[in-house]
């Protein structure tokens, strides 16, 4: 296998198309597969008639439950023409790629305390009688902790009735089995709802990837199977409310199904929540930390400690003496020849985390720190447990530490709990300005089932099934409750999380970390359980909202509103106190008047407090004054991937783009060579992409133009790209 290196030798400041010399390129290639959304249901025969005039379009799937629509493959121009000529078509979307979003969790959310509560049939709350659909990579239904809960399913990748995890060597998956175990393991490990039934839908195939079609087909089947709850620990980086998967989850909720979706692993930046975690009616879940032992490193001569993020599978950081730091390069065996008895500092890239750690261990290193090769920090998993501590640092901290090699470093360990995980995607949602995620749950260092055993993993993928299990417990306790009521119970009783004495923003954590023991006992429900007051339109805007308040207790309850802390430019109007008798409900009208002249900042958020008797209920809210005047593309970086022959790039599109791409040119005559990557209709947020070796151009020096087009304007970044043999 060839080895490549990519070096950016020059980066120019962002500019518009008024460059002195123009880099001309052809239009980016258009997608040949698309999802067509209809305004009303159509029979397969009607759909065949609709596409019949277009001989170069082929019908792939018809959807009647998840959405009204179908998928087609064919000439992109013909697909566009079909959309223009049919009044029945609402929208056409490209087929996006979806991927799996990768102890104490049950205890932290109140799952153990719930075991002491009973349903109306005097049965302990264990999820009994509730069916959860797991839309994922499949499930190993032979696992001893899952086989008694497995109730069947469907493989939407191979289109058969066997939703077993992929077992292909090198492409095997474990994700769906891990998710299912968090929900309903019932053996050596106990899930949140150990008596719930699991229906498995394999929508993600070898390597954990799948398409919009696969996921839509899985949602469609789950709706037909009448599941009570569906869990989607998957997603992409597109922050938009109207993608077909998000629309399908809204439809599922309308049909009485509680839909749970991971918010994504692209934090800590704002605007990074991805579909389907953007679905308005679904419960979007971010990740918090359980109780963790967090190591801090202090090097002689440094004033501040550096926080190390332990990698899953690492030994505990219980080093009992100071050790010198050695520069371990990229972690190859040759790089680590001087690592005996030291802490090896290794740069991310070229090799997997496990390969780097094992090479350091064989060289006699006492611990391993891997620092990022892109901006920011990261969290990760080792492929197998190792008996020396392994952790990560940000690029900035790693480069600082690299200047301190051969100096002694001391490790101290602190206990942390209930913090927002750095990787957890943040909102708000574009266009709708909704608070997402809705809630958070433990998603770090979560031990669960995998084929052949158990493994600790982390991600919003691990947080979402905690919520799915919690919903199963609530559904058992209150079978008559609607999805909106279950969502309200979880959000109304959540615990807002705080860091350094300051609460996280609402669009980072939603209502807070779930407390299922409180949610099942809720006797007053307020919905919607978060409020969006929209975006500033004109001076003197008055935004109205209605909260539906219901008293489910057996006695009258008096409801009062707290006035939020004063903020210049915002004036609130709340209803007077009122009392509801048992079983009564009413809509309470709220108004927010905005004076933009006095208002500071672009996004305003916080919590409104309603007192149900002596019980406070907090409702997160958000108001957007205006979108910043974003450049269309920024923050581009490209580095070695974590496996040999792969590379990673990231780029931030603050306002989204109709077209995005990386075009390569000959630097001598500016002749177009080809596209390294392209995307269409990209929502605002961060793009992360892995480029494999086979998709790289031949050796050489290229001028790269990283561009984003929107509303007839284009912004771009230019950088020189050198591709060639690694010389070390």
């Amino acid at each position: 296998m060839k080895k490549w290196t990519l070096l950016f030798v020059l980066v120019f400041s962002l500019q518009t198309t008024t460059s002195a010399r123009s880099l001309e390129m052809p239009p980016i290639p258009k997608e040949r597969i698309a999802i067509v959304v209809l305004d009303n249901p159509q029979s397969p025969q009607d759909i065949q008639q609709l596409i019949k005039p277009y001989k170069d379009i082929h019908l792939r799937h018809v959807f009647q439950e998840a959405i009204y629509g179908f998928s087609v493959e064919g000439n992109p121009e013909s697909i566009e023409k079909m959309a223009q000529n049919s009044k029945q078509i609402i929208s056409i979307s490209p087929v996006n790629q979806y991927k799996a979003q990768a102890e104490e969790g049950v205890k932290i959310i109140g799952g153990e305390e719930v075991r002491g509560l009973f349903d109306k049939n005097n049965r302990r709350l264990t999820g009994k009688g509730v069916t959860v659909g797991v839309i994922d990579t499949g499930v190993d239904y032979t696992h001893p902790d899952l086989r008694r809960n497995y109730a069947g399913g469907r493989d939407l990748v191979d289109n058969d009735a066997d939703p077993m995890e992929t077992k292909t060597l090198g492409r095997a998956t474990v994700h769906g089995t891990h998710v299912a175990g968090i929900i309903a393991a019932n053996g050596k490990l106990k899930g949140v709802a150990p008596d719930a039934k699991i229906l498995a839908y394999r929508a993600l195939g070898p390597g954990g990837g799948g398409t919009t079609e696969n996921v839509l087909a899985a949602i469609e089947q789950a709706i037909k199977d009448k599941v009570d709850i569906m869990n989607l620990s998957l997603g992409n980086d597109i922050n938009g409310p109207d993608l077909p998967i998000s629309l399908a989850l809204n439809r599922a909720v309308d049909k009485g199904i509680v839909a749970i979706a991971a918010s994504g692993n692209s934090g800590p930046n704002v605007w990074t929540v991805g579909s389907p975690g953007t679905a308005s009616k679904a419960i979007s879940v971010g990740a918090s930390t359980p109780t963790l032992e967090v190591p801090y490193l202090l090097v002689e001569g440094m004033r501040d400690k550096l926080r190390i993020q332990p990698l899953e599978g690492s030994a505990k950081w219980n080093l009992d003496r100071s050790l010198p730091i050695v520069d371990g390069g990229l972690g190859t065996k040759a790089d680590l020849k001087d690592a005996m008895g030291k802490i090896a500092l290794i740069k991310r890239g070229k090799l997997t985390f496990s390969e780097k750690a094992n090479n350091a261990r064989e060289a006699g290193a006492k611990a391993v720190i891997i620092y990022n090769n892109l901006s920011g920090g990261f969290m990760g998993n080792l492929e197998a447990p190792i008996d020396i501590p392994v952790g990560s640092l940000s690029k900035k901290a790693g480069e600082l530490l690299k200047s301190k090699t051969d100096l002694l470093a001391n490790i101290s360990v602190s206990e942390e709990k209930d913090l927002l995980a750095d990787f957890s995607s943040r909102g708000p949602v574009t266009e709708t300005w909704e608070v997402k995620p809705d809630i958070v749950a433990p998603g770090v260092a979560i031990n669960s089932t995998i084929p052949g055993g158990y493994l600790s993993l982390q991600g919003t993928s691990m947080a979402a099934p905690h919520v799915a299990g919690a919903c199963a417990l609530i559904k058992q306790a209150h079978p008559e409750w609607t999805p909106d009521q279950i969502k309200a119970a979880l959000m109304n009783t959540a615990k807002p999380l705080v860091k350094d004495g300051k609460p996280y923003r609402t669009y980072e954590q939603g209502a807070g970390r779930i407390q299922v023991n409180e949610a099942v006992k809720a006797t007053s429900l307020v919905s919607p359980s978060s409020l969006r007051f929209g975006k500033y339109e004109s001076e003197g805007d008055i935004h109205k909202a209605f909260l539906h308040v219901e008293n489910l207790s057996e006695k009258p309850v008096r409801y009062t509103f707290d006035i939020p802390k004063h903020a210049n430019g915002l004036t609130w109007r709340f209803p007077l106190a009122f009392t509801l008798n048992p079983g009564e409900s009413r809509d309470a009208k709220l108004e927010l008047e905005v004076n933009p002249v006095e208002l500071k900042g672009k996004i305003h958020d916080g919590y409104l407090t309603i007192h149900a008797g002596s019980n406070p209920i907090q409702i997160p809210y958000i108001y957007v004054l205006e979108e910043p005047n974003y450049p269309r593309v920024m923050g581009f970086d490209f580095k070695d991937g974590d496996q040999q022959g792969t590379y990673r790039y990231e780029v931030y599109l603050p306002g989204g783009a109709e077209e995005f791409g990386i075009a390569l040119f000959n630097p001598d005559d500016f002749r177009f060579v080809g596209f390294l990557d392209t995307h269409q209709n990209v929502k605002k947020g961060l793009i992360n992409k892995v480029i494999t070796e086979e998709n790289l151009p031949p050796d050489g020096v290229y001028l790269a133009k990283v561009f984003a087009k929107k509303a007839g304007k284009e912004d771009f970044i230019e950088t020189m790209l050198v591709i060639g043999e690694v010389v070390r």
Side-chain angles (χ1 to χ4, degrees):
M1 179 182 288
K2 283 187 177 181
K3 292 184 178 179
W4 308 88
T5 186
L6 294 94
L7 302 174
F8 291 87
V9 297
L10 183 61
V11 178
F12 294 89
S13 60
L14 184 141
Q15 48 191 312
T16 63
T17 49
T18 56
S19 175
R21 53 104 180 93
S22 180
L23 297 176
E24 298 294 338
M25 59 195 178
I28 68 173
K30 296 183 177 180
E31 299 287 346
R32 290 184 57 81
I33 301 177
I35 303 293
V36 180
V37 180
L38 300 171
D39 60 353
N40 287 299
Q42 302 286 333
S43 69
Q45 294 76 19
D46 291 337
I47 292 171
Q48 287 284 8
Q49 286 297 116
L50 194 154
I51 68 172
K52 188 175 181 180
Y54 310 96
K55 303 300 182 185
D56 50 1
I57 296 179
H58 167 66
L59 180 65
R60 291 169 61 90
H61 295 283
V62 174
F63 304 106
Q64 295 176 315
E65 300 288 348
I67 59 171
Y68 299 140
F70 55 94
S71 61
V72 291
E73 181 174 6
N75 185 301
E77 284 72 27
S78 296
I79 295 174
E80 289 181 7
K81 188 178 294 184
M82 177 182 65
Q84 293 167 358
N85 294 338
S86 175
K87 295 180 179 178
Q88 301 167 331
I89 295 176
I90 296 175
S91 66
I92 290 184
S93 301
V95 173
N96 296 299
Q97 294 293 316
Y98 287 80
K99 59 182 182 294
Q101 294 291 20
E103 185 260 287
E104 287 195 325
V106 174
K107 182 179 179 181
I108 281 179
I109 66 171
E112 288 188 357
E113 185 177 328
V114 161
R115 302 286 183 262
L117 304 177
F118 296 83
D119 66 12
K120 294 171 183 177
N121 297 313
N122 205 34
R123 299 176 302 189
R124 290 187 185 277
L125 295 185
T126 59
K128 195 169 186 64
V130 181
T131 302
V132 183
V134 176
I135 298 175
D136 214 289
T137 60
V139 169
D140 179 8
Y141 44 78
T142 67
H143 196 290
D145 288 10
L146 293 174
R147 57 190 175 203
R148 75 178 71 179
N149 299 73
Y150 175 72
R154 185 78 189 168
D155 185 335
L156 290 312
V157 177
D158 296 332
N159 198 27
D160 59 39
D162 182 15
M164 175 60 77
E165 293 267 19
T166 301
K167 295 184 177 180
T168 308
L169 190 64
R171 304 282 284 164
T173 57
V174 303
H175 193 268
T177 303
H178 197 274
V179 166
I182 295 170
I183 297 169
N186 195 357
K188 180 181 175 182
L189 287 183
K190 295 289 185 183
V192 179
D195 284 328
K197 292 297 182 185
I198 293 292
L199 279 175
Y201 301 94
R202 182 172 177 256
L204 307 181
T211 68
T212 306
E213 281 183 302
N214 300 139
V215 181
L216 270 179
I219 296 172
E220 181 105 345
Q221 187 62 49
I223 293 173
K224 290 178 180 177
D225 291 340
K226 294 181 168 53
V227 300
D228 298 302
I229 297 158
M230 63 172 68
N231 185 91
L232 289 86
S233 287
L234 52 83
N236 61 28
D237 295 328
I238 301 177
N239 180 345
D242 55 357
L243 266 69
I245 301 298
S246 296
L247 297 177
L249 289 194
N250 290 338
R251 176 73 59 79
V253 173
D254 289 341
K255 291 175 178 285
I257 297 171
V258 182
I260 292 112
S263 69
N265 297 333
S266 298
N269 289 331
V270 297
W271 307 108
T272 51
V273 62
S275 175
T278 54
S280 181
K281 297 180 181 180
I283 302 174
S284 177
V285 186
S288 62
T289 63
T291 303
L292 298 174
E293 292 183 348
V294 179
Y296 286 81
L297 180 143
L298 183 63
V299 179
E300 56 182 337
M302 286 177 55
R303 182 171 28 171
D304 297 324
K305 295 180 179 180
L306 298 177
R307 185 184 189 277
I308 300 172
Q309 178 60 55
L311 268 61
E312 283 307 301
S314 153
K316 289 185 179 296
W317 284 80
N318 54 359
L319 303 179
D320 58 358
R321 66 191 67 184
S322 296
L323 296 170
I325 299 170
V326 62
D327 182 0
L330 288 170
T332 66
K333 292 183 178 181
D335 289 334
L336 292 160
K337 58 182 181 294
D338 297 325
M340 177 67 72
K342 301 176 181 177
I343 298 174
L345 179 66
I346 298 174
K347 187 175 183 179
R348 184 177 185 180
K350 289 294 182 185
L351 304 177
T352 66
F353 302 144
S354 289
E355 288 171 330
K356 293 173 186 289
N358 286 324
N359 287 344
R361 180 184 178 279
E362 290 176 10
K366 294 296 185 182
V368 176
I369 296 174
I370 302 171
Y371 67 96
N372 211 353
N373 56 3
L374 296 178
S375 60
F378 67 94
M379 305 176 82
N381 303 291
L382 298 172
E383 295 166 11
I386 192 170
D387 59 1
I388 62 172
V390 184
S392 71
L393 282 177
S394 68
K395 179 182 179 182
K396 182 179 180 180
E399 290 174 345
L400 172 64
L401 201 56
K402 188 175 178 179
S403 67
K404 307 291 184 181
T405 51
D406 295 326
L407 296 177
L408 289 177
N410 179 61
I411 299 290
S412 60
V413 177
S414 298
E415 193 173 86
E416 293 182 358
K417 177 183 176 182
D418 265 349
L419 297 179
L420 200 58
D422 281 349
F423 62 77
S424 186
S425 290
R426 274 71 162 167
V429 180
T430 61
E431 299 177 38
T432 62
W433 316 111
E434 282 189 271
V435 171
K436 292 286 178 175
D438 295 297
I439 48 179
V440 298
V444 178
I446 306 300
N447 190 41
S448 185
T449 49
I450 63 166
Y454 308 88
L455 186 66
S456 185
L457 295 176
Q458 55 199 16
T460 54
S461 282
M462 285 61 252
H466 279 89
V467 176
C471 290
L473 299 177
I474 298 171
K475 186 72 175 176
Q476 180 192 345
H478 306 283
E480 74 284 1
W481 280 9
T482 65
D484 283 345
Q485 288 175 308
I486 291 174
K487 181 177 181 178
L490 282 170
M491 293 184 68
N492 291 172
T493 59
K495 175 187 176 183
L497 301 186
V498 173
K499 183 179 182 182
D500 298 329
K502 187 177 180 181
Y504 291 97
R505 305 292 291 266
T506 61
Y507 51 81
E508 294 180 307
Q509 65 166 330
R513 196 254 298 144
I514 64 166
Q515 301 183 108
V516 64
N517 54 317
E518 298 297 330
V520 297
K521 296 183 290 187
T523 55
S524 288
L525 297 180
V526 181
S527 59
S529 29
S530 67
L531 290 175
R532 54 188 169 106
F533 287 97
K535 183 181 173 185
Y536 171 75
E537 298 292 344
S538 61
E539 191 169 345
D541 266 357
I542 297 178
H543 300 267
K544 299 176 183 179
F546 291 88
L547 291 174
H548 185 69
V549 183
E550 41 188 334
N551 177 14
L552 303 179
S553 73
E554 297 178 351
K555 58 184 180 181
V557 176
R558 178 178 168 83
Y559 296 89
T560 58
F561 290 82
D562 280 354
I563 298 174
K565 183 179 178 181
H566 176 73
N568 290 335
L570 298 181
T571 302
W572 295 91
R573 299 187 186 97
F574 295 100
L576 298 174
F578 58 88
T579 299
L580 294 178
N581 291 320
E584 279 191 336
S585 64
R586 69 171 283 182
D587 290 334
K589 180 182 175 182
L590 289 73
E591 290 185 347
L592 173 62
E593 185 174 352
V594 179
N595 182 348
V597 176
E598 297 181 36
L599 205 56
K600 296 180 180 179
K602 305 295 185 184
I603 298 176
H604 295 267
D605 67 306
Y607 295 91
L608 302 178
T609 302
I610 305 168
H611 293 275
S614 61
N615 178 41
I617 297 173
Q618 290 193 309
I619 305 296
Y621 72 87
I622 189 169
Y623 169 75
V624 179
L625 178 61
E626 64 179 80
E627 284 186 87
N629 184 21
Y630 310 111
R632 286 162 179 76
V633 59
M634 59 194 299
F636 180 73
D637 206 352
F638 201 131
K639 289 292 188 293
D640 297 322
D642 296 326
Q643 295 183 351
Q644 192 170 8
T646 68
Y647 301 86
R648 301 182 300 128
Y649 80 78
E650 68 176 31
V651 64
Y652 191 60
L653 306 182
E658 294 162 6
E659 292 186 4
F660 162 77
I662 304 171
L664 301 180
F665 298 84
N666 184 310
D668 297 323
D669 56 13
F670 308 129
R671 176 178 50 84
F672 174 72
V673 175
F675 290 106
L676 186 64
D677 197 18
T678 61
H679 293 277
Q680 296 180 62
N681 298 318
V682 186
K683 300 295 183 181
K684 66 175 67 174
L686 188 72
I687 295 178
N688 280 296
K689 187 73 179 286
V690 174
I691 303 290
T692 54
E693 186 178 26
E694 58 267 22
N695 292 322
L696 289 170
D699 291 13
V701 179
Y702 299 92
L703 174 60
K705 175 182 176 181
V706 185
F707 65 92
K709 297 179 180 179
K710 186 177 181 182
K713 292 182 66 178
E714 177 185 271
D715 290 338
F716 61 85
I717 297 170
E718 291 181 17
T719 183
M720 298 301 295
L721 177 66
V722 180
I723 301 177
E725 296 287 344
V726 173
V727 179
R728 291 190 58 83

